[in-house]
Amino acid sequence: MNESPDVPAVKRDQNLSTILVVDDEEMVRRLAARMLAGLGYGVVDANGGQEAVRILQRMASRISAVLTDVAMPGIGGRQQGATIAECWPQIRVLYMSGFPARRMVNEGALDPTKPFIQKPFTSEQLGRKVRDLLSDEIAN
């Protein structure tokens, strides 16, 4: 588990949520973590699905959402999402992939009803998706 590097103070998101970023590619994981920290979110990261589950077992009460890659070795994003839904239903999941959502759905790797963001994405795009995800949580 790695905490994101220090980021200069910026306008913080009003809910100060903590996001778990899961990706087996370190550069992608660090970039997403840096973007989220810059938007005011707390960030914890995991290098794959197995590490993410271990982190959630220890600190699920402090995690509001998980940003996870769809295709990873071991526990992939879809399996990880199912585990989160079963064990921690209060935690929202945003899926990401370098492949278009349609391809992920056609290959059975992504449920078409699940929130998705395609890589590469900007900080603004990621922030909007996460805000929408968390505001949906408040509405439920």
Side-chain angles (χ1 to χ4, degrees):
M1 173 178 73
N2 300 314
E3 297 290 332
S4 65
D6 291 334
V7 174
V10 295
K11 182 180 175 190
R12 288 194 149 295
D13 192 278
Q14 55 266 47
N15 55 19
L16 301 175
S17 300
T18 297
I19 312 298
L20 173 58
V21 178
V22 187
D23 199 307
D24 58 314
E25 294 184 37
E26 184 177 4
M27 190 171 11
V28 173
R29 188 174 66 245
R30 285 187 178 196
L31 180 59
R34 197 171 304 126
M35 287 178 177
L36 289 166
L39 292 166
Y41 294 99
V43 180
V44 178
D45 69 89
N47 67 9
Q50 293 172 326
E51 184 179 9
V53 169
R54 286 193 298 271
I55 290 168
L56 288 167
Q57 287 170 336
R58 287 194 324 268
M59 52 186 305
S61 64
R62 295 184 287 176
I63 305 288
S64 300
V66 175
L67 171 64
T68 185
D69 191 23
V70 174
M72 295 182 290
I75 299 175
R78 187 170 186 152
Q79 181 183 355
Q80 182 181 290
T83 300
I84 292 169
E86 182 180 324
C87 299
W88 305 285
Q90 76 282 7
I91 297 176
R92 298 296 177 154
V93 180
L94 174 59
Y95 298 89
M96 62 179 166
S97 177
F99 298 107
R102 181 177 302 179
R103 178 176 173 183
M104 296 283 89
V105 169
N106 289 341
E107 293 177 359
L110 180 67
D111 178 329
T113 66
K114 300 300 182 188
F116 177 82
I117 187 168
Q118 186 172 342
K119 299 186 255 182
F121 44 77
T122 66
S123 181
E124 182 180 284
Q125 291 167 327
L126 180 59
R128 188 170 33 252
K129 284 283 192 176
V130 170
R131 278 189 300 278
D132 289 350
L133 187 74
L134 294 174
S135 65
D136 181 44
E137 178 181 77
I138 293 165
N140 287 337

